[in-house]
């Protein structure tokens, strides 16, 4: 009785905090901003510099007005092009017109030998450009017949080129409003990892003590973990479509980890549903719960496989590139606490239900005369 | 260990008499060849170069699904004929039973691996770029990881209803990134003659085989209980 009152209290607090999160996310937390500063200064120092763009030539776009000299291909970069929301809008409406390309063009030369092997009819052409305070230039490149930002590269001090997957990777934002979903996405993902971890602990404790209450804990937590993971992997693509131009990316560690963990714990639940006998169910699902939790993160963290993937997922922990404003930080903090409390409340309730279920089964057995 | 060898010998003897699994898996790999031809026939006709890329993936689809069929049977048969109780009554460690099953499964899946590699060579007159030995090496190493985790999961799934469907549901998420992805990439490199580039991947597969083996060895007593 006491426990259920605790659960009720937690639920009320969590729901209130989620309401607060919604309000804060909508009206308090500012839209994310790209740090654009001192663009002119950087421009003047950039002019005429050589940029090495090895490695992605075959994936570059075709431009309608190629400029080729003997030794260099010239790439227009748009100095004025610092507002990505305008670009996103143009992209969405298929209006990437000449107008964009001729505003204050800055000619950047690319050594032709870097383009060796390129067989397209036109030289590559870069469309977008952004200058950040750190003096990095970020290009957006479009592939033919595509309205999707496929490849980005940053130029760091002009001798090192990083190719990225989308503007989000470099702290750029093309669809600021879509970012609001972050306040629900990230807490759900966090709670699902927490829930799967609780399942791991519950499974291990069950195998050690054979106390059915740990089995109930593991089961309930896995169910909630799948629920929150579902929220995380459905809200993520809503944002990704806006920011990356696609719903899903297979080359991203975080997405793939979450997806596979999700599958593993759906497997765990199917296993539980398929094994009728109590003790066996608890034992085998505990072993599988441990196996799954150990294998998946390890295989994706393994340094030998990680290079096959790369992460374009935004970093949650603030980096030197910017990070969260205090308002956004407060909002996300409240959201994380709210979701964690909600998880705790639901877990208490779910364990209670599991207890009642077992009691009911026991009663059925007694009535059925199996005793 | 001797008990494990005895068990494996017993399984293989049963298999040699009935030829149940081998014949099913033999047909299975032939069907994969057929499906491969249906799916990628036009691609291959227009560009024979693609064979290397496609064959590496197709071989591993073949290996992993054939292994799932085989590993499922290894426990399901014991369960159906109620010989599992007999095994459990043996005065040996449960981990010995696990090892025995791993060994017999390995033997059978290796045979299927070899058959599939042969079928691809025969039906597509493909010579693996002259690197058959390297391809077989990767297949052996990868199959070890596959069988070590698969045997444990088969022992788990055999307790459930609809267990034929349960095994792939439980197993595939576990092997996707620990075995299949590195194996496909290593096989592709092997076919191109630069297996040396895949040393890291092979180390990783071996590492996972060790981890899976250890988890299976120590947790099987919880699975095969009662």
């Amino acid at each position: 009785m006491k426990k259920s009152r605790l659960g009720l209290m937690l639920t009320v607090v969590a729901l209130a905090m989620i309401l607060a999160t919604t309000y804060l996310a909508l009206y308090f937390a500012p839209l994310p901003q790209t740090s654009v500063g001192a663009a002119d200064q950087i421009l003047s120092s950039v002019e005429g510099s050589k940029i090495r763009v090895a490695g992605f030539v075959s994936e570059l776009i075709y431009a309608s007005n190629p400029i080729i000299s003997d030794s260099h291909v010239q790439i227009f970069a748009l100095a004025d092009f610092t507002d990505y929301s305008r670009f996103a809008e143009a992209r969405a409406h298929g209006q990437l017109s000449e107008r964009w390309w001729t505003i204050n063009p800055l000619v950047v030369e690319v050594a032709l030998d870097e383009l060796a092997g390129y067989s397209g009819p036109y030289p590559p052409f870069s469309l977008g450009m952004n200058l950040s305070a750190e003096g990095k230039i970020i290009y957006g490149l479009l592939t033919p017949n595509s309205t999707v930002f496929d490849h980005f590269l940053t130029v760091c001090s002009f001798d090192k080129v990083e190719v990225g997957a989308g503007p989000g990777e470099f702290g750029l934002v093309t669809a600021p409003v879509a970012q609001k979903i972050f306040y629900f996405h990230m807490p759900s993902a966090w709670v699902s990892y927490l829930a799967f971890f609780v399942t791991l602990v519950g499974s291990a404790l069950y195998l050690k003590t054979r106390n059915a209450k740990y089995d109930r804990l593991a089961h309930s937590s896995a169910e909630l973990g799948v629920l929150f993971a579902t929220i995380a992997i459905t809200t993520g693509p809503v944002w990704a479509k806006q920011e990356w131009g696609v719903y899903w990316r297979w080359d991203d560690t975080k997405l793939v980890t979450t997806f596979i963990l999700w599958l593993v714990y759906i497997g765990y639940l199917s296993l539980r549903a398929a094994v009728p006998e109590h003790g066996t169910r608890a034992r085998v699902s505990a072993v599988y719960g441990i196996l799954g939790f150990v294998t998946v993160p390890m295989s994706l963290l393994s340094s030998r496989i990680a290079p096959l993937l790369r992460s374009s997922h935004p970093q949650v922990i603030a980096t030197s590139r910017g990070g969260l404003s205090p308002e956004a930080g407060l909002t996300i903090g409240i959201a994380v606490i709210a979701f964690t409390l909600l998880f705790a409340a639901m877990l208490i309730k779910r364990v209670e239900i599991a207890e009642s279920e077992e009691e009911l089964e026991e009663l059925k057995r007694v009535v059925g005369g199996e005793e | 260990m001797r008990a494990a060898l005895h068990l494996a010998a017993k399984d293989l003897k049963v298999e040699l008499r009935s030829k149940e699994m081998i014949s099913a898996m033999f047909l299975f790999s032939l069907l994969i060849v057929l499906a491969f031809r249906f799916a990628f026939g036009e691609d291959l006709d227009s560009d024979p170069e693609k064979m290397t890329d496609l064959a590496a993936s197709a071989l591993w689809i073949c290996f992993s699904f054939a292994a799932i069929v085989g590993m499922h049977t290894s426990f399901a048969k014991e369960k159906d004929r109620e010989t599992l109780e007999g095994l459990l009554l043996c005065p040996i460690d449960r981990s010995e039973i696990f090892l025995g099953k791993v060994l017999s499964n390995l033997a059978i899946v290796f045979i299927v691996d070899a058959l599939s590699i042969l079928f691809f060579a025969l039906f597509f007159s493909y010579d693996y770029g002259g690197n058959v030995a390297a391809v077989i090496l990767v297949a052996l190493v990868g199959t070890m990881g596959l069988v070590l985790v698969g045997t444990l999961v088969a022992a788990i799934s055999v307790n459930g209803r609809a267990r034929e469907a349960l095994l792939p549901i439980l197993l595939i998420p576990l092997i996707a990134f620990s075995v299949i992805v590195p194996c496909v990439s290593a096989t592709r490199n092997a076919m191109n003659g630069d297996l040396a580039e895949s040393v890291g991947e092979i180390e990783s597969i071996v590492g996972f085989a060790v981890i899976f083996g250890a988890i299976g060895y120590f947790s099987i007593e919880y699975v095969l209980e009662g």
Side-chain angles (χ1 to χ4, degrees), chain A residues 4 49 70 78 198 292 298 353:
Chain A
S4 72
S49 303
D70 286 350
L78 301 175
V198 171
M298 206 156 43
I353 293 173

Side-chain angles (χ1 to χ4, degrees), chain A residues 207 210 256 260 263-264 267 270-271 273-276 280 283-284 287-288 291-292 295 298-300 302 304-305 308, chain B residues 149 152-153 156 159-161 166 169-170 173-174 177-178 181-182 200-201 203-204 208 211-212 215 219 222-223 225:
Chain A
L207 288 182
R210 296 308 166 95
V256 175
I260 297 211
L263 284 178
V264 164
S270 342
L271 175 66
V275 182
T280 317
R283 275 187 288 112
V284 297
V287 172
Y288 186 71
L291 184 66
T295 310
M298 206 156 43
S299 59
L300 289 151
S302 131
R304 301 300 183 186
I305 301 173
L308 301 175
Chain B
V149 64
L152 175 63
V153 178
I156 289 175
N159 294 293
R161 291 181 296 246
L166 202 54
I169 290 177
L170 297 182
L174 297 182
F177 280 87
S178 55
V181 170
E201 276 136 27
E203 277 171 8
S204 148
F208 270 107
I211 292 165
F212 289 146
I215 295 180
S219 65
Y222 298 112
V223 178
E225 192 180 86

Side-chain angles (χ1 to χ4, degrees), chain B:
Chain B
M1 194 63 203
R2 271 195 50 193
L5 287 175
H6 274 297
L7 279 177
K10 183 252 333 166
D11 277 352
L12 291 177
K13 200 182 277 174
V14 172
E15 181 52 37
L16 276 181
R17 285 184 187 154
S18 66
K19 298 179 192 63
E20 246 176 276
M21 270 147 83
I22 290 281
S23 56
M25 290 155 84
F26 171 84
L27 284 174
F28 190 85
S29 49
L30 271 182
L31 288 175
I32 295 268
V33 167
L34 191 66
F36 182 71
R37 176 64 209 175
F38 279 147
F40 301 117
E42 282 179 21
D43 287 338
L44 291 177
D45 290 342
S46 62
D47 183 8
E49 293 286 298
K50 280 186 181 163
M51 187 65 195
T52 301
D53 283 349
L54 295 176
S57 331
L59 273 179
W60 276 99
I61 291 175
C62 194
F63 295 166
S64 37
F65 281 91
I68 286 174
V69 174
M71 290 184 296
H72 167 69
T73 323
S74 77
F75 276 98
K77 209 154 62 179
E78 303 267 12
K79 188 94 175 175
D80 290 346
R81 296 175 188 170
E82 292 172 0
T83 47
L84 196 57
E85 279 83 357
L87 272 188
L88 297 182
L89 282 175
C90 287
I92 51 169
D93 256 8
R94 297 286 145 86
S95 32
E96 295 278 326
I97 301 181
F98 174 71
L99 283 184
K101 285 289 177 194
V102 165
L103 289 177
S104 60
N105 283 339
L106 266 182
I108 290 168
V109 180
F110 279 159
I111 295 174
V112 178
D113 287 0
L115 282 176
S116 319
I117 292 175
L118 179 70
F119 288 152
F120 270 81
L122 285 179
F123 282 94
F124 301 101
S125 56
Y126 181 58
D127 65 350
Y128 297 97
N131 300 301
V132 187
V135 172
I136 291 178
L137 177 75
V138 177
L140 292 183
V141 176
T143 304
M144 289 224 274
L146 198 62
V147 168
L148 281 166
V149 64
T151 306
L152 175 63
V153 178
I156 289 175
S157 71
V158 79
N159 294 293
R161 291 181 296 246
R163 56 197 185 196
E164 292 83 0
L166 202 54
L167 179 57
I169 290 177
L170 297 182
L171 186 57
I172 290 174
L174 297 182
I175 57 173
F177 280 87
S178 55
V179 180
I180 305 296
V181 170
C183 277
V184 169
S185 125
T187 305
R188 191 169 295 146
N189 280 339
M191 288 171 178
N192 287 324
D194 32 46
L195 187 59
E197 275 180 26
S198 285
V199 173
E201 276 136 27
I202 291 181
E203 277 171 8
S204 148
I205 302 164
V206 172
F208 270 107
V210 172
I211 292 165
F212 289 146
I215 295 180
Y217 190 86
F218 292 112
S219 65
I220 197 75
E221 61 174 301
Y222 298 112
V223 178
L224 295 177
E225 192 180 86

Side-chain angles (χ1 to χ4, degrees), chain A residues 61-122:
Chain A
I61 58 136
Y62 306 88
S64 53
N65 49 349
I67 303 165
I68 305 182
S69 68
D70 286 350
S71 58
H72 294 95
V73 173
Q74 296 178 325
I75 295 183
F76 279 106
L78 301 175
D80 196 36
F81 198 70
T82 48
D83 183 358
Y84 262 85
S85 61
R86 282 195 295 160
F87 191 92
E89 205 175 292
R91 185 181 67 191
H93 294 94
Q95 293 170 338
L96 291 169
S97 63
E98 297 277 332
R99 196 168 63 82
W100 295 100
W101 300 5
T102 49
I103 303 167
N104 190 11
L106 165 79
V107 178
V108 184
E109 291 173 328
V110 179
L112 196 61
D113 57 338
E114 299 292 352
L115 302 175
Y118 171 71
S119 59
Y122 302 114

Side-chain angles (χ1 to χ4, degrees), chain A residues 266-282:
Chain A
I266 287 180
Y268 174 92
L269 295 179
S270 342
L271 175 66
R272 295 197 68 106
V275 182
E277 204 273 316
H278 254 271
T280 317
R281 176 167 68 208

